Amino acid sequence: MSKYTEMAYDDPEEMIFGEAKEPVTYGHGPQITAGGGQVFGVTKIAPRPGAEARPEKLKTEFRKITKTILQRAVTLGFPTQEIENEWVHQMGENPVEYAQGPAIQNQAAIAEEFAEEHGIATATTHTIPDLRVSEKGLRHGQDRESFYPEKVIGSFEIAAENGADVLKIESSGGMELADYGIQRGDIKAFLFGIGYLGSIDMEWLWSQIVDIAEKNNVVPGGDTNCPAANTAMFIAGGYLDQDIARTFSAITRAICAGRTIVAWEQGATGPDKDCGYEGPIVKAIAGKPTVQEGKDCSVAHADLMGNLAAQVCDGWSNESAEFHEEFSGWSSGTWAEAVGYEVSLMNTAKELGEDKTLRDIYMASDRYRSPESFIIAYDNAYKIGEAMVEEGDSYYRRSKAAALKAAELIEEANEKGELQLSSHEKDTLDSIVTDLRALPEEEDKFVEECLNEYGDLPKFDPKNYGL
């Protein structure tokens, strides 16, 4: 598969929520068209602890979750409702018993029923858990104890064959190096783990997911670097936290864009995974639809870009919330309502011709709140995308280029007094730039250096990446 060497958009001003260069249609009833002119809502609700004890109990839980989401959407007059399921561990371990009937078929039937009875566009997305463990092996035939690589691919097959509309995953290739890099502030280790090894793993994984999706006429959506860049972002935290500099976290976000876009290079169509905050960068390059999350993630984590994340989204989502009762009913309904009204605001802005005004308000609200939000403001995301496509034929060089461009943008904004950095954040940024500029130009030489430097890490096995 070819790599992206050109931008989908001629100018960042073209980017807007609800519109993508390559829209994708799926689902029941009137159907959802991601990127086709309207933003759609995505609601994620997790079963209560203990619901996974038996398949029948899980089936009852998913039935309640699905119906209460769709009932609230119909009650409030929302025209679209996508339901995403991030599988719990048991579903990935035994997808035939715990996922096929209890979740996939069960939810697809309810989604179709609501679409027929109420005329609402519905769809179900299934996010398969990446159970693979680097010490046991990431590829087929390597894990002879748990067979996780085979179970992950098998889960996609079961989801595609039994009613899923969209397939996604939060894949974890390269995490053993990313964890090491985050813990030690070692940007080279993170670049090797996510920018290079993670991209190789994405190539292996997504070529198979796309084949499964095409065989079953379902949508291969996309991925996210939630396990690595989001980990850095969450540890970096907010203004009270000091464990990791937010400048380090911002650079990891830029690096991971080079990895996340591999899914689309392998034939996935979008929309990608909501917790991929790198979405604006990869959308600028590929023009495919992106689902984003921000302020409606407060149930799971604090966020320094709660409004900005909506600026160019095509689908808007909450973060996974536990299913339980609230004063207004089930939590599934409350989150469907919160997400639905935000979507309604965006679509009304479109009807009034004020969508770019709202986009810029979202963006301006958080632009200077943190280095992480600053680099994914749509104009800066576009500049990082441009740096990436200039080095598009190399996983290593394009991730390094993204990192250096992000650092340059942060430095400029800080020098102008627009983006405030603490001395710790500024020193960390200076150190990152020094380290990145000292790296070799040639990919082969970089890989050789990294294998010598990190080859003895306990969880790292080059065979997982064909090295």
Side-chain angles (χ1 to χ4, degrees):
M1 292 287 181
S2 60
K3 299 183 177 69
Y4 287 105
T5 55
E6 296 179 351
M7 300 293 284
Y9 295 88
D10 295 327
D11 190 288
E13 267 299 310
E14 294 179 39
M15 296 172 65
I16 186 69
F17 50 75
E19 298 175 33
K21 291 283 188 181
E22 298 183 21
V24 181
T25 300
Y26 54 87
H28 307 284
Q31 294 190 297
I32 290 170
T33 299
Q38 295 279 292
V39 181
F40 61 96
V42 183
T43 304
K44 292 190 296 185
I45 300 294
R48 286 166 288 188
E52 75 286 353
R54 291 177 289 106
E56 276 306 310
K57 193 173 182 181
L58 198 58
K59 183 175 183 178
T60 300
E61 189 85 338
F62 274 119
R63 184 184 300 119
K64 288 180 181 176
I65 290 171
T66 310
K67 285 195 170 184
T68 48
I69 289 173
L70 293 173
Q71 283 167 348
R72 185 69 68 100
V74 171
T75 295
L76 299 177
F78 299 146
T80 60
Q81 181 61 66
E82 183 168 319
I83 298 170
E84 182 182 352
N85 303 285
E86 293 182 341
W87 287 18
V88 297
H89 184 88
Q90 289 79 1
M91 295 166 73
E93 276 278 9
N94 190 346
V96 172
E97 288 192 23
Y98 284 84
Q100 183 172 317
I104 310 166
Q105 295 172 343
N106 186 17
Q107 289 191 306
I110 297 169
E112 187 172 4
E113 175 189 321
F114 269 76
E116 289 178 357
E117 290 188 10
H118 303 286
I120 184 174
T122 63
T124 58
T125 288
H126 287 270
T127 296
I128 307 303
D130 191 354
L131 303 178
R132 298 174 301 157
V133 179
S134 56
E135 303 96 300
K136 294 182 178 180
L138 301 182
R139 296 190 175 189
H140 296 317
Q142 293 180 334
D143 179 357
R144 306 311 299 172
E145 179 185 345
S146 304
F147 302 97
Y148 284 146
E150 289 81 2
K151 286 182 178 177
V152 170
I153 297 302
S155 292
F156 277 108
E157 290 174 337
I158 288 171
E161 291 167 357
N162 288 280
D165 294 302
V166 185
L167 305 177
K168 299 182 182 180
I169 188 171
E170 300 180 5
S171 67
S172 57
M175 274 301 300
E176 61 276 32
L177 270 296
D179 286 343
Y180 179 89
I182 292 169
Q183 290 167 6
R184 293 162 178 78
D186 184 341
I187 202 65
K188 181 179 179 181
F190 192 93
L191 178 63
F192 182 50
I194 299 303
Y196 184 72
L197 299 178
S199 296
I200 291 174
D201 184 64
M202 288 277 288
E203 194 177 302
W204 179 84
L205 191 60
W206 274 95
S207 60
Q208 297 176 78
I209 298 170
V210 169
D211 284 347
I212 292 167
E214 289 179 347
K215 187 171 65 178
N216 292 281
N217 195 30
V218 303
V219 174
D223 212 304
T224 166
N225 195 222
C226 184
N230 285 12
T231 297
M233 183 175 75
F234 298 152
I235 296 175
Y239 293 101
L240 291 176
D241 303 291
Q242 301 287 330
D243 292 336
I244 292 178
R246 286 178 287 143
T247 43
F248 183 89
S249 164
I251 303 305
T252 66
R253 180 67 59 198
I255 289 171
C256 81
R259 165 215 168 274
T260 297
I261 204 169
V262 175
W264 290 352
E265 290 176 330
Q266 290 300 312
T269 61
D272 61 1
K273 186 81 178 75
D274 59 317
C275 54
Y277 287 79
E278 60 273 21
I281 303 173
V282 295
K283 179 176 179 178
I285 295 171
K288 295 184 178 179
T290 180
V291 177
Q292 292 287 285
E293 61 178 32
K295 69 186 92 176
D296 291 326
C297 295
S298 56
V299 68
H301 56 79
D303 200 317
L304 288 165
M305 55 194 85
N307 290 319
L308 183 143
Q311 58 182 345
V312 295
C313 74
D314 298 290
W316 183 246
S317 178
N318 68 316
E319 184 51 279
S320 196
E322 184 186 282
F323 187 56
H324 60 249
E325 286 192 282
E326 307 271 13
F327 287 144
S328 67
W330 292 98
S331 57
S332 44
T334 63
W335 284 108
E337 179 171 340
V339 167
Y341 273 116
E342 195 67 37
V343 168
S344 179
L345 176 66
M346 289 188 246
N347 289 333
T348 301
K350 285 187 160 306
E351 291 170 11
L352 297 175
E354 298 291 347
D355 49 352
K356 290 194 173 180
T357 300
L358 180 58
R359 174 199 64 184
D360 290 347
I361 292 172
Y362 279 139
M363 186 270 286
S365 169
D366 301 324
R367 181 181 180 89
Y368 298 113
R369 196 178 299 279
S370 74
E372 298 108 313
S373 58
F374 178 72
I375 67 144
I376 63 163
Y378 68 88
D379 55 330
N380 290 332
Y382 188 88
K383 291 172 184 172
I384 292 170
E386 285 184 308
M388 285 174 58
V389 298
E390 286 182 10
E391 301 287 354
D393 60 346
S394 162
Y395 289 144
Y396 158 59
R397 289 201 308 276
R398 74 182 184 187
S399 295
K400 177 186 165 188
L404 282 168
K405 174 56 71 174
E408 176 187 315
L409 291 167
I410 294 169
E411 282 180 331
E412 287 177 359
N414 179 244
E415 288 169 3
K416 290 177 182 175
E418 298 170 339
L419 181 65
Q420 301 299 315
L421 300 178
S422 67
S423 57
H424 173 53
E425 290 170 334
K426 183 71 168 58
D427 290 347
T428 300
L429 185 65
D430 291 343
S431 176
I432 288 172
V433 170
T434 300
D435 290 346
L436 289 172
R437 287 180 177 158
L439 296 176
E441 281 300 306
E442 302 83 2
E443 184 171 285
D444 289 349
K445 191 172 179 182
F446 171 72
V447 174
E448 184 181 351
E449 275 187 18
C450 289
L451 289 174
N452 288 333
E453 190 169 348
Y454 305 113
D456 292 333
L457 293 186
K459 297 181 180 179
F460 175 46
D461 184 351
K463 291 179 183 175
N464 284 333
Y465 307 96
L467 299 177

